[in-house]
């Protein structure tokens, strides 16, 4: 209970003419404190006033840090990450975190049991361990941000999230052919009007998906790097594409393959704006992958994602003699450890070269003996 000397005058729960809620207002340590109780129940508002006074007393007298809600802490963390490549992903993950942990109003209410239960429930729902790991990154970030700003934070031991290593999935040439057939803008398919009466808007959308996938397959670029690319990044005469890789904040240059050059040359003749791929408003395309993912399913590629197209180029380059370090430059990885997922493919190529060399030496030795 707060000492009477710190309680100020009588209970200060008042009604305002412009609100149906009770307001709490009082003075303490020479400062005036006012906030809405967000309740129409007078007794509840009075209890809130007592609790608020007690909290402030602990802060002023005992030096206890101020509390912050979970929502406010997450918001502060996201604000600190604005302008970074992973901000959009963190914002996406934060919505699930806040919804599932909403029973904990204040950040310091979070417990280890909450996190353990959160992990188990998310995995049971079918979320990948990597997604759960990223969601925990939101909680970690919120706690670190709140602590740095002087708020009261919980002491948490985050559950260990084991992310299994999977074999790199890439498209074979036959699978690529099936996918492009399902994306063919001139295809006849249930749900599509016959080609001769197909609306121009529908034709354009179908062509966009086909062209985009071709560019992704032959450049190995990330989806957003191609989907949002501008014409001033394209040099058709030299056959070069300049990429700004926002995820790793570096620039890269990619040489066009023959079919990418044909796609971009055709689109250049039909261009209407600054972007190579646009949405219905003429702005950059943004993240719109539903049609492509549906085509993957129609092609029987149920374990394939958009990012698989990037893996496909990297795999083909290494299988045909390029080194991991050369592929790192093509993909624009900032850290060679990211590219090392393809190292086993390079090792296979090296092993094959070694076998061929040793076989050739054996043939040479036999020829010398025979002579």
């Amino acid at each position: 209970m707060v000492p009477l000397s710190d309680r100020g005058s009588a209970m200060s729960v008042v009604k305002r003419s412009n609100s149906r809620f009770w307001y709490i207002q009082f003075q303490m340590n020479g400062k005036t404190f006012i906030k809405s109780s967000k309740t129409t129940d007078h007794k509840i508002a009075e209890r809130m006033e007592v609790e608020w006074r007690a909290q402030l007393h602990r802060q002023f007298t005992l030096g206890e840090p101020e509390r912050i809600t979970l929502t406010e802490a997450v918001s502060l963390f996201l604000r600190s990450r604005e302008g970074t490549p992973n901000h959009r992903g963190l914002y996406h993950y934060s919505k699930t975190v806040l919804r599932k942990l909403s029973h904990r109003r204040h950040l310091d209410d979070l417990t280890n049991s909450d996190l353990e239960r959160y992990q188990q429930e998310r995995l049971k729902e079918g979320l990948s361990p990597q997604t759960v790991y990223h969601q925990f990154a939101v909680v970690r970030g919120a706690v670190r941000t709140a602590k740095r700003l002087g708020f009261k934070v919980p002491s948490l031991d985050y559950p260990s999230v084991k992310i299994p290593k999977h074999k790199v999935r890439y498209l074979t040439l036959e699978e690529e052919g099936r996918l492009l057939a399902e994306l063919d803008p001139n295809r006849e398919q249930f749900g599509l009007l016959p080609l001769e009466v197909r609306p121009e808007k529908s034709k354009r959308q179908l062509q966009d998906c086909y062209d985009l996938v071709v560019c992704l397959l032959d450049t190995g670029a990330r989806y957003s790097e191609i989907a949002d690319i501008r014409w001033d990044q394209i040099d058709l005469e030299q056959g070069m594409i300049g990429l700004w890789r926002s995820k790793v904040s570096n620039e890269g240059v990619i040489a066009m393959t023959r079919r990418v050059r044909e796609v971009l040359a055709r689109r250049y003749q039909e261009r209407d704006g600054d972007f190579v791929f646009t949405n219905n408003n003429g702005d950059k395309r943004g993240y719109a992958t539903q049609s492509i993912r549906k085509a993957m399913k129609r092609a029987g590629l149920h374990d394939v994602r958009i990012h698989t197209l990037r893996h496909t180029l990297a795999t083909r380059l290494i299988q045909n003699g390029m080194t991991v370090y050369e592929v790192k430059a093509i993909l624009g990885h900032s850290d060679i450890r990211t590219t090392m997922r393809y190292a086993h493919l390079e090792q296979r190529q090296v092993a094959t070269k070694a076998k061929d060399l040793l076989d050739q030496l054996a043939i040479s030795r036999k020829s010398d003996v025979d002579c």
Side-chain angles (χ1 to χ4, degrees), residues 240-253:
M240 306 299 287
I241 301 173
L243 291 180
W244 169 249
R245 305 183 190 276
S246 59
K247 182 175 181 180
V248 289
S249 298
N250 64 31
E251 292 182 278
V253 177

Side-chain angles (χ1 to χ4, degrees), residues 91-109:
Y91 176 76
H92 171 74
Y93 295 129
S94 72
K95 290 190 289 186
T96 302
V97 169
L98 291 175
R99 186 174 68 253
K100 298 298 184 180
L101 295 176
S102 59
H103 64 291
R104 294 300 191 185
R105 173 172 166 74
H106 288 96
L107 179 64
D108 60 285
D109 287 333

Side-chain angles (χ1 to χ4, degrees), residues 46-265:
E46 285 183 336
R47 287 201 298 270
M48 290 177 64
E49 190 239 9
V50 172
E51 290 172 2
W52 192 21
R53 283 179 184 271
Q55 178 188 339
L56 291 171
H57 172 70
R58 289 194 298 270
Q59 289 175 219
F60 292 138
T61 308
L62 307 177
E64 185 175 302
E66 182 181 353
R67 302 183 81 191
I68 186 173
T69 67
L70 176 60
T71 301
E72 290 168 340
V74 169
S75 178
L76 287 172
F77 167 60
L78 293 176
R79 200 177 306 160
S80 73
R81 302 300 298 167
E82 284 180 358
T84 63
N86 63 342
H87 177 262
R88 185 172 67 177
L90 290 171
Y91 176 76
H92 171 74
Y93 295 129
S94 72
K95 290 190 289 186
T96 302
V97 169
L98 291 175
R99 186 174 68 253
K100 298 298 184 180
L101 295 176
S102 59
H103 64 291
R104 294 300 191 185
R105 173 172 166 74
H106 288 96
L107 179 64
D108 60 285
D109 287 333
L110 280 180
T111 66
N112 291 330
S113 296
D114 290 327
L115 300 185
E116 288 286 353
R117 186 162 50 251
Y118 183 95
Q119 180 185 37
Q120 293 170 11
E121 291 176 356
R122 299 296 78 73
L123 294 176
K124 191 179 296 184
E125 288 174 1
L127 269 65
S128 70
Q130 189 161 12
T131 298
V132 176
Y133 177 84
H134 289 315
Q135 291 175 352
F136 276 148
V138 173
V139 180
R140 284 193 181 93
V143 171
R144 284 198 305 268
T145 302
K147 184 177 182 180
R148 187 177 70 248
L149 296 174
F151 292 101
K152 187 176 182 180
V153 299
S155 177
L156 298 173
D157 295 320
Y158 297 91
S160 175
V161 182
K162 294 183 179 180
I163 302 177
K165 292 184 178 180
H166 298 291
K167 185 177 179 181
V168 174
R169 177 68 164 99
Y170 62 92
L171 298 183
T172 65
L173 290 174
E174 186 271 336
E175 288 175 329
E176 177 186 311
R178 277 159 40 199
L179 175 58
L180 292 178
E182 292 297 335
L183 287 167
D184 185 347
N186 297 320
R187 69 185 184 277
E188 298 289 346
Q189 175 189 315
F190 177 77
L192 289 177
L193 290 172
L195 190 59
E196 59 273 14
V197 295
R198 195 171 294 170
E200 287 302 317
K201 180 180 177 181
S202 178
K203 289 181 181 179
R204 183 181 67 80
Q205 291 172 340
L206 294 171
Q207 188 69 59
D208 283 356
C209 289
Y210 181 90
D211 292 348
L212 181 58
V213 167
V214 167
C215 290
L216 291 172
L217 280 166
D218 283 12
T219 63
R222 298 176 182 86
Y223 174 86
S224 61
E225 293 167 359
I226 295 298
D228 299 342
I229 199 167
R230 302 171 63 95
W231 282 115
D232 57 16
Q233 298 172 252
I234 307 294
D235 186 341
L236 282 170
E237 185 175 344
Q238 297 295 322
M240 306 299 287
I241 301 173
L243 291 180
W244 169 249
R245 305 183 190 276
S246 59
K247 182 175 181 180
V248 289
S249 298
N250 64 31
E251 292 182 278
V253 177
I254 294 178
M256 302 176 195
T257 62
R258 184 178 292 108
R259 63 177 177 175
V260 167
R261 199 166 189 168
E262 289 173 356
V263 164
L264 294 178

